[in-house]
Amino acid sequence: MEGKYYGQKAPPVRENRLNAGDGFAGKCCASLLESGRGGLLTQTCRDFWQGNACQMSLTLMMATTIEKAAIVLHGPVGCGSNMHNLGPAVHKGKKCRGLVPAPLRWLSTNLTEGDIIGGGEAKLMEAILYADREFRPEIIFVVSTCAPSVIGDDADEIVTRAGAGTRARVVLLDCPGFKSRVVASAYDAFYHGLIRYLPLEGGPGAGKKGLGPADGARAVNVFNSTSIGQVDEAEIARLLGELGLRARFYAEYSNAGKFRGLTGAALNVSLCDIHDDYMLGFLWQRFGMPYVMGGMPIGYGGTRGWLESVAGPLGLGREAGEVADREEGRLRATVEPLLAGLRGKRVLSVGGIARVMAVSMALKELGLEPIGFHAYHYDDTAIPLLERTQAELPDLPVAVSSQDFELFGAVRKFGPDLVISHSGTQGLLAKMGVPAIQLYDVDRPCLGYKGLHSLAKRIAFAFANVSFQKRLAAKARFPYNKEWPKHDPYGHIKTT
């Protein structure tokens, strides 16, 4: 089924491929499951929007981490504004992984009004050849933005022609921001570019259903995301090392040579089901590489389940259980005193759907009360995770929303003691007088047993002193009238 997409010039959006949607509110995971399976979420919209994200920005987050690469942004110069924010983050990410930091090498075709009328293909060809000559990169990522997609520039044709005369591999990333309301489509756009334009040859592990002890080191490809930092990579490598497996992390912070060796592994493993299904499905269909999408290794149950899902195809199920037993025994004695006085505290989780479900179940394990989650989008890759969450938290209220005004209304409605949320929302929550900790933080562990210990410590610290939030809330003003908090927080979600 997926194979029909991989040969296309442009990747499909998740609304079409995975029944994705970004508007829902219900009383439990079962209602979200029913709506998602029935395709109802693709028919929802809002009669009011406060803002939305651009999928190009997430594609750039991945592309900027690749070593010895240059980026050509095909569009108006303003599309490159967030490159100035990405630079320091990538610099830090490379440094902590032992890579050589370097300034981002990027340029823009700087489309003007005249180019919008006459077309920008000539400018794109010129920019690609200049980037190859000036920077001498291994890869040139051509990022096709909104404007050339609207006017019909054939970026694929230009990339193919330019690539025939360049030293670098030229890779088209087709990701106009308006194309999808679900920004997770950006991950597919990046992987689609790798699939179409980089040589991925079958290696020693391709086609095998698992490698036994006689096969040596037993490399495992672990697919990461930009929001998972080096501290989490180290924890995952440690746990897999306990099973005699060697973790190789993709696709962020990789290079052309590392991509060429992608298929020489026993197994492909995802750290986030939402992030990697497009690429893992391709590697299975093209090279017969088995893969595992076992949720996120967050919490006791989540980490144990993830380890066992990785170990199963390799015949290491017993060893995985022993590792989990040993690690949990050590951790419980450390974590339980941290939260001894916080039992029953009510917590709302906000962020990507895979992470908020995993965190909600981890909160229950820690003795806190998850009172709901706000997921930024839904698609069919979340079905196994929703089934698991439904089994453990059957009455948990759920919402699919990336809108700040809906988060504002939900916090007013549910009155959580704590919110665990995506970066960028802590200011809003502090103004509401609610303690908050960051869900996506590359400087602190989130995954595995070290991640659970860090989560417990941050929760305890957040409750230790809430005077700042209380004082700020007494003076804060919001752009909503007095009647707004009385409305249904999700009243603007409609079915078309």
Side-chain angles (χ1 to χ4, degrees):
M1 292 294 291
E2 290 283 2
K4 63 182 180 181
Y5 299 127
Y6 299 129
Q8 295 177 354
K9 287 185 177 182
V13 295
R14 293 204 172 192
E15 287 92 332
N16 298 333
R17 185 171 74 88
L18 293 170
N19 290 318
D22 63 350
F24 176 84
K27 296 182 179 179
C28 61
C29 293
S31 57
L32 178 54
L33 269 169
E34 182 180 356
S35 296
R37 283 173 169 155
L40 299 180
L41 266 68
T42 62
Q43 303 172 33
T44 60
C45 63
R46 288 178 175 82
D47 55 20
F48 171 72
W49 291 78
Q50 193 170 16
N52 203 18
C54 166
Q55 66 160 330
M56 182 202 70
S57 62
L58 291 190
T59 304
L60 282 175
M61 284 177 63
M62 300 180 73
T64 50
T65 67
I66 305 304
E67 291 188 279
K68 300 178 182 178
I71 294 174
V72 174
L73 287 171
H74 185 36
V77 70
C79 290
S81 60
N82 66 345
M83 296 293 286
H84 303 292
N85 297 323
L86 292 172
V90 172
H91 187 283
K92 182 171 68 173
K94 288 183 176 180
K95 188 174 182 179
C96 70
R97 288 170 172 84
L99 305 174
V100 179
L104 295 182
R105 298 180 294 185
W106 68 279
L107 49 89
S108 170
T109 54
N110 189 22
L111 297 186
T112 63
E113 291 183 8
D115 299 319
I116 299 302
I117 297 170
E121 293 179 356
K123 272 192 169 182
L124 177 58
M125 175 66 79
E126 180 185 0
I128 294 171
L129 297 178
Y130 176 85
D132 185 63
R133 183 175 63 251
E134 182 72 16
F135 302 132
R136 306 302 288 171
E138 291 182 347
I139 299 174
I140 297 174
F141 289 112
V142 174
V143 179
S144 183
T145 65
C146 294
S149 298
V150 170
I151 65 176
D153 277 1
D154 193 344
D156 179 79
E157 172 66 17
I158 300 300
V159 163
T160 301
R161 285 167 44 200
T166 58
R167 173 181 174 273
R169 287 278 179 178
V170 187
V171 175
L172 174 62
L173 304 179
D174 186 87
C175 50
F178 67 84
K179 194 174 181 180
S180 173
R181 293 208 322 247
V182 174
V183 293
S185 296
Y187 309 137
D188 304 344
F190 179 79
Y191 285 132
H192 190 82
L194 299 187
I195 289 166
R196 275 184 55 81
Y197 300 96
L198 286 186
L200 301 174
E201 303 298 335
K208 295 188 178 183
K209 300 300 182 184
L211 297 181
D215 292 291
R218 287 176 293 177
V220 173
N221 295 333
V222 181
F223 283 78
N224 200 354
S225 63
T226 314
S227 60
I228 295 174
Q230 188 275 335
V231 286
D232 278 325
E233 290 180 357
E235 170 70 349
I236 293 302
R238 180 184 74 85
L239 292 174
L240 293 180
E242 294 283 337
L243 301 177
L245 302 173
R246 178 167 56 91
R248 309 189 313 173
F249 292 96
Y250 289 95
E252 283 85 341
Y253 299 101
S254 299
N255 54 48
K258 192 174 177 183
F259 284 131
R260 283 193 293 271
L262 178 62
T263 58
L267 190 67
N268 291 320
V269 181
S270 173
L271 287 176
C272 175
D273 295 8
I274 308 301
H275 193 269
D276 305 312
D277 81 298
Y278 196 80
M279 187 66 169
L280 269 56
F282 167 78
L283 292 171
W284 165 251
Q285 290 194 22
R286 176 66 178 82
F287 300 111
M289 295 184 72
Y291 66 90
V292 168
M293 294 174 59
M296 298 194 76
I298 295 176
Y300 294 118
T303 302
R304 177 185 288 270
W306 186 87
L307 270 177
E308 290 176 345
S309 70
V310 175
L314 303 175
L316 298 171
R318 177 180 58 82
E319 290 84 346
E322 291 173 355
V323 170
D325 289 341
R326 182 170 65 251
E327 294 286 336
E328 287 179 20
R330 293 172 181 170
L331 186 59
R332 289 183 188 276
T334 305
V335 165
E336 289 181 5
L338 288 173
L339 302 177
L342 302 177
R343 303 291 180 187
K345 290 289 187 180
R346 305 169 69 253
V347 186
L348 177 70
S349 301
V350 182
I353 190 166
R355 200 170 306 206
V356 292
M357 285 190 286
V359 165
S360 294
M361 289 185 282
L363 291 170
K364 181 183 177 184
E365 293 172 334
L366 293 174
L368 290 90
E369 181 186 351
I371 61 169
F373 68 71
H374 255 230
Y376 284 161
H377 90 283
Y378 162 91
D379 64 47
D380 285 349
T381 58
I383 288 176
L385 310 177
L386 280 165
E387 291 174 338
R388 202 175 310 157
T389 307
Q390 170 64 16
E392 297 196 25
L393 299 166
D395 301 319
L396 188 70
V398 300
V400 177
S401 167
S402 60
Q403 301 298 302
D404 280 351
F405 74 89
E406 289 174 348
L407 174 60
F408 175 88
V411 171
R412 286 280 193 243
K413 178 179 179 179
F414 294 113
D417 299 310
L418 175 73
V419 179
I420 301 177
S421 66
H422 196 289
S423 58
T425 60
Q426 278 72 31
L428 169 67
L429 296 164
K431 290 178 182 178
M432 298 182 72
V434 181
I437 62 175
Q438 191 167 318
L439 180 63
Y440 296 83
D441 189 343
V442 296
D443 295 321
R444 296 180 178 87
C446 178
L447 307 183
Y449 299 104
K450 289 185 178 179
L452 186 60
H453 184 248
S454 173
L455 178 64
K457 287 197 300 182
R458 287 192 287 154
I459 290 172
F461 184 82
F463 281 113
N465 187 346
V466 297
S467 61
F468 169 74
Q469 288 88 348
K470 291 181 178 179
R471 290 160 57 197
L472 183 61
K475 299 180 179 294
R477 299 292 181 266
F478 297 97
Y480 310 115
N481 61 36
K482 294 181 180 180
E483 298 299 317
W484 186 274
K486 300 176 184 178
H487 297 164
D488 178 3
Y490 310 107
H492 288 277
I493 298 175
K494 308 294 182 182
T495 301
T496 56

